[in-house]
Amino acid sequence: MSFRELKIAGAYEYTPRQFGDDRGVFFEWFKSSAFTDAVGRPLTLEQANCSVSAAGVLRGIHFTDTPPGQAKYVTAVTGAFLDVIVDLRVGSPTFGQWDSVLIDDVDRRAVYLPEGLGHAILSLEDGSTVMYLCSIEYTPSLDRDIDPLDPDLGIDWPTLARDGSPLEYQLSDKDRAAPSLADAIAAGYLPKFQD
């Protein structure tokens, strides 16, 4: 297993070692001791989520008021997603920047993002299933969103599905109505960077 820090400080990509034979494949998608060694702190687990999406479903950019914030550890069980992490921490050296990881049922990578970062996923195949571990339970009053298609963020969303067909983005009404990064800055509800 290997961890790689992304360009957004504190966010990591995890690639498991897979053991396969004619029966199938086995791998550890999360191991507390390895995670703590790589990231420098344990992941407190309060909730686990599973979401199934059609090709083109775009969820996010979501984040939680910080404090308390919500850390996430995300992997794809079936299908494929582009997982995007956005630095929303005002004062961070990488504020407003993003990084991405392809999470799928081939390489079986996982992504960790700490409190204060925004998160979005784009499904690249019908029936794609993502599972994520969360450090706090979902609390609607703490939930925040940023427009994932905000041109100021410049996220390079794929336009083709895994099979090469064109993608049509599908967003929830809530995500479609999310403010731009500039509006979120003006409203003062973005998290602050902590050294």
Side-chain angles (χ1 to χ4, degrees), residues 53-111:
S53 300
V57 170
L58 177 54
R59 301 179 189 273
I61 300 167
H62 300 151
F63 67 102
T64 303
D65 276 349
T66 305
Q70 184 185 61
K72 296 178 183 175
Y73 188 85
V74 187
T75 194
V77 179
T78 59
F81 293 87
L82 184 69
D83 190 301
V84 174
I85 301 94
V86 182
D87 193 345
L88 299 175
R89 303 168 298 185
V90 174
S92 166
T94 55
F95 176 75
Q97 295 181 31
W98 60 274
D99 203 349
S100 66
V101 174
L102 175 67
I103 57 173
D104 64 13
D105 54 12
V106 176
D107 294 319
R108 303 187 187 280
R109 290 184 181 99
V111 172

Side-chain angles (χ1 to χ4, degrees), residues 3-194:
F3 283 86
R4 177 180 71 88
E5 189 165 21
L6 300 176
K7 75 177 186 181
I8 307 300
Y12 288 83
E13 169 191 280
Y14 164 67
T15 304
R17 186 170 169 209
Q18 299 183 57
F19 302 92
D21 58 28
D22 59 350
R23 298 169 300 155
V25 175
F26 172 84
F27 64 97
E28 297 171 339
W29 77 278
F30 178 81
K31 187 173 185 176
S32 181
S33 60
F35 176 87
T36 302
D37 287 347
V39 175
R41 68 179 203 166
L43 176 62
T44 303
L45 177 60
E46 294 292 331
Q47 184 170 320
N49 299 329
C50 179
S51 178
V52 181
S53 300
V57 170
L58 177 54
R59 301 179 189 273
I61 300 167
H62 300 151
F63 67 102
T64 303
D65 276 349
T66 305
Q70 184 185 61
K72 296 178 183 175
Y73 188 85
V74 187
T75 194
V77 179
T78 59
F81 293 87
L82 184 69
D83 190 301
V84 174
I85 301 94
V86 182
D87 193 345
L88 299 175
R89 303 168 298 185
V90 174
S92 166
T94 55
F95 176 75
Q97 295 181 31
W98 60 274
D99 203 349
S100 66
V101 174
L102 175 67
I103 57 173
D104 64 13
D105 54 12
V106 176
D107 294 319
R108 303 187 187 280
R109 290 184 181 99
V111 172
Y112 167 72
L113 59 148
E115 300 84 349
L117 299 183
H119 184 244
I121 54 173
L122 173 65
S123 175
L124 303 175
E125 179 177 7
D126 284 342
S128 291
T129 303
V130 68
M131 296 184 72
Y132 49 105
L133 307 176
C134 302
S135 64
I136 66 169
E137 293 181 10
Y138 172 69
T139 307
S141 63
L142 300 176
D143 192 38
R144 300 287 180 258
D145 308 286
I146 299 290
D147 179 0
L149 301 175
D150 181 351
D152 288 341
L153 288 173
I155 298 172
D156 187 17
W157 294 110
T159 57
L160 298 177
R162 199 177 198 187
D163 64 6
S165 62
L167 284 175
E168 290 186 36
Y169 303 141
Q170 302 172 52
L171 285 78
S172 70
D173 291 342
K174 181 176 173 268
D175 286 344
R176 194 171 302 284
S180 67
L181 181 62
D183 288 343
I185 293 168
Y189 73 69
L190 294 178
K192 304 288 187 264
F193 181 66
Q194 305 291 323

